[in-house]
Amino acid sequence: MYDDQNIFARILKQDIPCKKVSENEYYLAFEDLYPKAPIHILIIPKGRYSDATDFHQNAANEEIIGYYKGINDVVDQLKLSDGYRLITNCGYHGGQEVPHYHIHLLAGKKLHHSIV
Ligand code: 5GP
């Protein structure tokens, strides 16, 4: 069940502000409020999907393509030729805090190899 009051839903509705990086019809990318790297961007679909499973099961193909192509828009825009990391947290064990599907894009320095 999707929570319409979650913080990213409210950012999409422009109830609360964000520092936008880019968007298209299918995604919005904005700066994480509590960055964990010099560059920390959140990329969210514009549809109402609570997590990765929900998005991959229920989004239309065009939404999925438009969303994932958006990641490369951000990479191009920020000129991340030295690389970057993409992370998604899904559900309780994944440590997801905001129940609107999102990918974290981290960059701007050499990140540690640890994935946990
Ligand atoms: P999660 O743990 O769900 O994968 O990640 C949620 C992310 O949202 C965290 O990195 C957190 O810093 C970020 N965040 C939480 N509240 C806000 C907010 O109001 N605005 C922005 N831009 N980011 C937020």
Side-chain angles (χ1 to χ4, degrees):
M1 177 88 87
Y2 183 80
D3 168 17
D4 278 304
Q5 291 307 311
N6 79 75
I7 202 85
F8 295 168
R10 296 178 64 201
I11 285 174
L12 279 170
K13 284 184 273 188
Q14 300 183 355
D15 285 349
I16 58 171
C18 71
K19 288 190 179 169
K20 185 166 85 175
V21 174
S22 65
E23 68 180 323
N24 72 7
E25 186 181 346
Y26 300 105
Y27 82 90
L28 173 66
F30 54 95
E31 295 180 12
D32 196 293
L33 199 55
Y34 308 103
K36 316 301 187 293
I39 295 171
H40 186 169
I41 308 300
L42 299 167
I43 304 164
I44 70 174
K46 289 194 171 175
R48 300 163 75 257
Y49 301 103
S50 57
D51 61 19
T53 304
D54 185 19
F55 184 64
H56 297 141
Q57 276 182 349
N58 297 315
N61 288 350
E62 67 210 43
E63 288 180 281
I64 293 172
I65 292 166
Y67 173 73
Y68 282 105
K69 293 244 180 215
I71 293 172
N72 264 25
D73 293 351
V74 177
V75 167
D76 285 348
Q77 183 178 330
L78 299 181
K79 303 187 190 328
L80 302 180
S81 56
D82 287 335
Y84 55 91
R85 179 173 295 169
L86 301 175
I87 298 172
T88 190
N89 301 318
C90 184
Y92 175 65
H93 278 186
Q96 182 177 2
E97 290 176 354
V98 178
H100 181 110
Y101 177 48
H102 54 282
I103 287 179
H104 299 252
L105 185 157
L106 300 160
K109 70 171 187 182
K110 175 84 172 79
L111 299 167
H112 296 297
H113 281 107
S114 171
I115 57 166
V116 290

